[in-house]
């Protein structure tokens, strides 16, 4: 199984259809303080091995970071840990800010 990429527009649609989708933000604390998606779960990338058991395994999980590289690595890790409904936000929160929420601060 490979990690499915999801565009900001597809994510917006998914959240309307499945509001219990987990938005897993794997950025550092200082990045999250600048901007974040609503109702996100924050676990910094380096804490995933210690904390991934806190995540539900019966709902979709969309992993995101700044541009989508770190989140893809985390999604692969979670896939190896047995999670199945995994998505990586293409372009990360930066793409979300450009396409969906232009008022969101960018960095």
């Amino acid at each position: 199984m490979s990690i499915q990429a999801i565009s900001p527009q597809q994510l917006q649609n998914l959240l309307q259809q499945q509001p219990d989708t987990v938005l897993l933000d794997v950025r550092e604390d200082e990045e999250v303080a600048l901007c974040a998606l609503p109702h996100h779960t924050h676990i910094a990338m380096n804490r995933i091995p210690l904390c991934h058991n806190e995540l539900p395994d019966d709902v979709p999980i969309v992993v995101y970071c700044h541009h989508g590289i770190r989140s893809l690595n985390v999604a692969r890790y979670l896939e190896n840990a047995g999670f199945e409904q995994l998505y990586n936000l293409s372009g990360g929160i930066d793409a979300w800010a450009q396409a969906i929420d232009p008022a969101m601060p960018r960095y």
Side-chain angles (χ1 to χ4, degrees), residues 86-107:
L86 292 166
Y87 301 88
N88 183 48
L89 180 57
S90 297
I93 197 166
D94 194 56
W96 176 273
Q98 291 178 56
I100 305 296
D101 187 359
M104 178 179 279
R106 294 178 60 209
Y107 62 100

Side-chain angles (χ1 to χ4, degrees), residues 14 17 21 24 26 29 37-38 61-62 64 71 78-79 94 102:
L14 177 64
Q17 295 164 3
T21 297
L24 179 59
V26 299
D29 293 349
L37 295 179
I61 298 175
V62 178
Y64 76 92
S71 55
L78 292 174
E79 181 182 43
D94 194 56

Side-chain angles (χ1 to χ4, degrees), residues 3-24:
I3 306 302
Q4 287 186 264
I6 189 169
S7 72
Q9 292 83 1
Q10 289 169 318
L11 175 56
Q12 190 174 43
N13 293 337
L14 177 64
L15 291 172
Q16 288 168 354
Q17 295 164 3
Q18 291 190 263
D20 60 344
T21 297
V22 172
L23 298 173
L24 179 59

Side-chain angles (χ1 to χ4, degrees), residues 47-81:
R47 294 186 57 242
I48 291 292
L50 301 171
C51 301
H52 74 270
N53 59 340
E54 298 170 13
L55 296 168
D57 58 7
D58 57 346
V59 297
I61 298 175
V62 178
V63 189
Y64 76 92
C65 62
H66 190 200
H67 289 118
I69 306 302
R70 288 174 285 177
S71 55
L72 180 57
N73 289 324
V74 169
R76 287 180 179 143
Y77 178 89
L78 292 174
E79 181 182 43
N80 288 334

